[in-house]
Amino acid sequence: MQRRTFNFALAGIALAATAPLVHAQAWPEKPIRMVVAQPAGSGPDSIARLLGEQLSHKWKQSIVVDNKPGGQNAIGAQAAARSPADGYNFYFATSAALVTNPYLFKSLPYDPLKDFAPVGMIGRVPFVLAVNTASPAKTLQDFVAEMKANPGKVTVANEGPKTFGGMMTRLFASQLGVQVNSVPYVSIGAAVTETVGGQTEAVMGDVPALIQMIKAGRLRPIAVTTAKRVSGLEAVPSIADAIPGFDYAGFMAIVAPAGTPAAAIQRFNRDLDSVLSDKEMAAKLLAVGPITEGAGTPEQMAAFLQAEHARWSKLTKDIGILPE
């Protein structure tokens, strides 16, 4: 009788130990909602749907993209943060939502570090500084010399002072000790159009937004914001050539509401990494946005976010951006 009782106890322990594994294998058992803080048809939306299609094949469950644009990503981030932490709600996030917003706004309806659990990285989005083809600047060095010779007169288009492109423009000028006329536009598309048309001399924007005009010969790229050269723009030097250590890029990632079951996060992370590791998928992503190196682990992403917060806190202070 004692031996039988002992065996039952062992069986119970084994069953309890395998319960999380069984749950992980069963997930997902219903459709998954993915909040995107940009409108339908935008770059992030296209990427979310592309990844969602591949993941839905793996999981045999549909992924419903829920677009909630506006408020510098705050509307979507808040909606995602307040979603049930049941393993069926996730947020397709950008660097603005997860890192830079707290240093630009005095108050936010969400806390990027406390309200979300990291799931996995999608990739980095390099920015590029490009000039109108009529510009006398053929190289980064030419452009710097022009800014020094004409303080405050050289125009650089971007999406505004509190966007990634706007902050890169100010940081670039600040670290070189030059003055630049940063011209804000309502969208990167408008900034590109105005630069191509000659209303501004240069534009600072993400590579996907500028690449077609660059390939068409209507914009001349002179520098990228990442320390490494960018695929498709291998001949374009880095701003780090002029400013050692300069290495900035936007990023895209998946997070979940805080408290989401670890089993769901681990399964999502594993399968996201599998999708991103596919060469064909990586090429498709590169054509519309991020450069991927796989999803990493949730722990690696958490460490990355902590480091980015420290870096951007210093950056915004260095270039005089105060929360409003």
Side-chain angles (χ1 to χ4, degrees):
M1 179 65 70
Q2 288 179 340
R3 179 177 296 176
R4 181 177 297 178
T5 302
F6 179 69
N7 287 340
F8 277 133
L10 282 179
I13 293 171
L15 202 60
T18 59
L21 179 61
V22 171
H23 180 73
Q25 290 173 338
W27 182 94
E29 298 175 303
K30 63 181 182 179
I32 290 168
R33 171 176 172 256
M34 188 183 297
V35 174
V36 176
Q38 290 77 28
S42 64
D45 173 76
S46 299
I47 294 165
R49 292 177 189 276
L50 184 63
L51 293 173
E53 180 181 0
Q54 296 300 311
L55 290 169
S56 66
H57 289 324
K58 282 182 173 291
W59 297 335
K60 309 302 182 197
Q61 292 288 349
S62 62
I63 295 180
V64 180
V65 174
D66 187 1
N67 299 96
K68 293 189 177 297
Q72 286 284 83
N73 295 272
I75 293 174
Q78 179 185 24
R82 294 183 178 179
S83 298
D86 57 2
Y88 291 90
N89 290 278
F90 293 86
Y91 179 35
F92 183 101
T94 64
S95 46
L98 294 184
V99 174
T100 62
N101 273 355
Y103 308 104
L104 304 179
F105 301 96
K106 285 184 177 179
S107 63
L108 288 172
Y110 70 98
D111 185 315
L113 289 176
K114 293 181 180 179
D115 290 347
F116 295 112
V119 176
M121 288 292 295
I122 295 169
R124 300 181 82 205
V125 184
F127 276 56
V128 59
L129 176 65
V131 297
N132 178 283
T133 52
S135 168
K138 307 297 182 185
T139 65
L140 175 61
Q141 290 73 20
D142 291 343
F143 193 69
V144 172
E146 186 183 355
M147 287 191 292
K148 289 181 177 180
N150 302 280
K153 294 182 180 180
V154 177
T155 52
V156 178
N158 52 69
E159 291 181 272
K162 293 192 174 185
T163 63
F164 195 97
M167 287 188 284
M168 287 299 97
T169 301
R170 292 181 63 174
L171 180 64
F172 168 65
S174 172
Q175 293 195 354
L176 286 171
V178 298
Q179 296 178 35
V180 64
N181 182 4
S182 182
V183 184
Y185 285 90
V186 295
S187 69
I188 189 59
V192 170
T193 299
E194 293 290 280
T195 305
V196 169
Q199 281 71 36
T200 56
E201 183 174 345
V203 58
M204 178 76 82
D206 61 274
V207 171
L210 275 65
I211 194 66
Q212 294 306 318
M213 287 298 179
I214 290 172
K215 288 182 176 179
R218 303 186 70 182
L219 286 175
R220 181 189 306 127
I222 57 174
V224 294
T225 59
T226 49
K228 292 182 179 179
R229 298 201 178 195
V230 175
S231 178
L233 295 173
E234 290 86 355
V236 182
S238 169
I239 289 177
D241 290 355
I243 307 171
F246 198 102
D247 183 19
Y248 292 91
F251 66 86
M252 297 176 182
I254 301 293
V255 295
T260 295
I265 288 177
Q266 292 294 339
R267 176 73 186 278
F268 199 132
N269 172 269
R270 185 190 75 192
D271 291 341
L272 176 64
D273 186 66
S274 175
V275 169
L276 295 175
S277 298
D278 180 78
K279 291 184 178 179
E280 184 177 344
M281 174 57 68
K284 287 181 179 179
L285 290 177
L286 183 60
V288 293
I291 298 172
T292 184
E293 295 181 348
T297 66
E299 293 75 19
Q300 287 171 333
M301 184 178 160
F304 168 80
L305 291 174
Q306 290 284 356
E308 284 293 281
H309 272 274
R311 197 161 71 124
W312 280 89
S313 175
K314 181 178 185 303
L315 181 154
T316 50
K317 290 176 183 176
D318 288 347
I319 60 179
I321 292 181
L322 298 175
E324 294 179 358

